[in-house]
Structures are given as C-alpha cells and as structure tokens.
Amino acid sequence: MSSSPLYKQLAKKIKQQIHNGELSEGDAIPSENKLAETYGVSRVTIRQAIDLLVSQELLRRVQGSGTYVSEKKIEHNIYHLQGFTEEMEQLKKKTINKVLCYELKHPDEKIRGILGLDEDDQTFFVSRLRYVDDKPVVFERTYLPVTLFPDLSYEVMQGSKYKFIEQQKKWRIKQSFQEIIPLLPDEEIRKLLSLKEGTPILKVRLWSTLENDVVFEYTELFFKSDDYKFTIVANRF
C-alpha cells in the first residue's frame, strides 16, 4: 500500500490519463461527484487532487463551467530570431493575422530615434491581432519606414512581414533587440485578447536590423501570459 496521501495517488492517476492521451488538451474532466463515485473516495479528496493538478497547471477551472485539461503554452526561445508566422508553422499551428489598423503615420521622437528617421519621415503603422488555432494570443503594433517599404501592402501584413522582407525584397535580417516587460494590460488590449480583469501579460519592445545594420522596424508585442511562455537557454561555456 502506498504511503502517499490518497489525493496525491488520485492526482497521479489523472496525470497519467493526461500523459497517455486518455484526456486531451481542452477536455472537460468528470464532475467531482462522478470522480468520487468512480474512485470510491470523498469529494474532499477529489477536490484536493484537482487543486494539486491546477497548481501544477495541468488542469484549469472555468467558473460556472467545470474543470478542463490545460492547453500547453506556446514556447518561444527569445534567442532564436524568428517571425511569429514562421514559428507557428514549425509548430504546425494554424495562424490568422487580423489587421486592425493600416495607415501612414509620423512616429514620435522616440520611435524616430530608433528607426533613424527625420522629423518629416513617415512610417507605415500597422496593428494586428494574431490568432493561433482560432484563439487571439498576440496583439502587435509595428512601425515600418516608408522609405524602405514603399511597396508594403495591407495584404502583405495579413501574412508574414519577415517572409516579405527575405523572399520578396531579398534582404537578409540580421538581428533583433528586445525588452520584455510584464504588466497589466489596458482595457483595449484586455478586450482584444479576451482577458479577465487583472490578468497580467508580457510586453515585448523590439527593433530589428538588416544585414547592413539599418533598423527596419520598431514593434510592440503584447502576449497572453496564460498561452505563451518565454524560454532562455543559457550555456556556461
């Protein structure tokens, strides 16, 4: 007989069902009453087991609906310079880029300084809501100099701008400088990403350069922290 508490034994059984595919991402697990009946234990034990799996992010509770198997977070390696669409294609996920705003704009002084623009220079300002498997996961605001991209179109921004740059413009992208900031979103972003009030997000400010060191974009990205995680691989030598 195992010396492990009964709720931990039960949690282990449910965890095994998730790992072996009996329970898939997004599946609802049976009610507490049903689980108590199935395993011949009290609802208190069931609740403790579920609480443990929720704390381990294997299950998630939805108020008024039930308890579900958590979807795996999208893992992004910040040391790998890759466009969003490219990254999702490698993960075999369906993406949609919904363009919310596409216009000519004179950026503020800070953005002009990053992009190396004069006061009268214009940029294309594009905001996009980016979906993965029909769920909004990233909101993006990006500035692209008109002098570099006079041929930029609305249709291009419905796809991958990095593919446009490398495959159509035949330019090589060299590197990206990024800042990651956790914060609480404003009401606009909270609604766009379908977030509950008080849910934090990850904001990424970045500017990227071409092979000749010309900065070609300034972008702000807002990631859903419950769907996205950032990883860093650190080598000692």
Side-chain angles (χ1 to χ4, degrees):
M1 187 76 176
S2 173
S3 61
S4 176
L6 193 55
Y7 78 92
K8 288 188 176 180
Q9 296 178 45
L10 179 57
K12 185 177 180 180
K13 288 181 181 179
I14 298 173
K15 187 185 296 187
Q16 287 173 341
Q17 289 180 309
I18 295 171
H19 290 329
N20 66 24
E22 291 179 52
L23 289 171
S24 302
E25 291 182 25
D27 281 355
I29 68 168
S31 67
E32 290 182 3
N33 285 337
K34 182 66 175 176
L35 287 171
E37 181 182 333
T38 299
Y39 292 104
V41 298
S42 70
R43 286 186 60 189
V44 172
T45 299
I46 295 296
R47 194 170 297 118
Q48 287 178 310
I50 291 174
D51 286 344
L52 177 60
L53 294 174
V54 168
S55 71
Q56 295 173 353
E57 298 187 351
L58 289 171
L59 296 178
R60 61 182 178 87
R61 286 192 175 94
V62 178
Q63 189 172 0
S65 177
T67 304
Y68 298 83
V69 179
S70 298
E71 293 85 357
K72 291 180 181 177
K73 290 187 177 184
I74 300 166
E75 188 171 344
H76 173 69
N77 184 346
I78 63 174
Y79 284 125
H80 188 192
L81 178 53
Q82 194 173 34
F84 175 83
T85 304
E86 296 171 305
E87 186 175 41
M88 294 305 106
E89 284 176 350
Q90 288 189 0
L91 295 173
K92 302 188 184 307
K93 293 184 176 291
K94 182 180 74 173
T95 60
I96 297 174
N97 296 319
K98 183 179 180 182
V99 178
L100 305 179
C101 179
Y102 173 84
E103 65 182 13
L104 290 173
K105 192 169 187 176
H106 289 285
D108 63 27
E109 184 178 357
K110 177 190 73 176
I111 296 174
R112 289 200 310 271
I114 292 171
L115 293 173
L117 301 178
D118 294 329
E119 188 173 352
D120 294 333
D121 288 339
Q122 287 187 313
T123 62
F124 284 105
F125 170 73
V126 185
S127 66
R128 301 190 288 182
L129 190 57
R130 317 195 76 171
Y131 291 77
V132 175
D133 294 337
D134 299 319
K135 289 174 55 180
V137 297
V138 184
F139 175 58
E140 174 190 278
R141 299 181 182 129
T142 189
Y143 295 80
L144 300 158
V146 174
T147 51
L148 287 176
F149 302 104
D151 50 347
L152 188 74
S153 66
Y154 182 96
E155 288 73 25
V156 164
M157 296 307 292
Q158 288 181 307
S160 167
K161 68 174 179 281
Y162 280 16
K163 280 187 178 180
F164 168 71
I165 290 168
E166 293 183 323
Q167 296 180 12
Q168 294 190 42
K169 304 290 285 185
K170 305 297 183 184
W171 295 341
R172 183 178 174 187
I173 298 171
K174 181 180 179 181
Q175 57 190 357
S176 177
F177 301 87
Q178 304 183 22
E179 297 176 354
I180 301 174
I181 309 160
L183 52 76
L184 290 174
D186 59 29
E187 187 175 358
E188 176 195 11
I189 294 173
R190 184 170 59 82
K191 287 181 177 179
L192 286 170
L193 294 176
S194 302
L195 295 168
K196 292 180 181 179
E197 193 167 354
T199 301
I201 61 172
L202 295 170
K203 177 182 178 180
V204 176
R205 296 176 63 242
L206 68 85
W207 47 98
S208 305
T209 68
L210 300 171
E211 193 173 18
N212 59 2
D213 292 326
V214 169
V215 179
F216 70 85
E217 71 166 329
Y218 171 78
T219 297
E220 295 179 344
L221 299 160
F222 302 86
F223 293 87
K224 288 181 72 173
S225 58
D226 53 352
D227 285 325
Y228 231 95
K229 68 178 180 180
F230 289 76
T231 61
I232 300 173
V233 179
N235 296 311
R236 186 174 177 86
F237 299 105

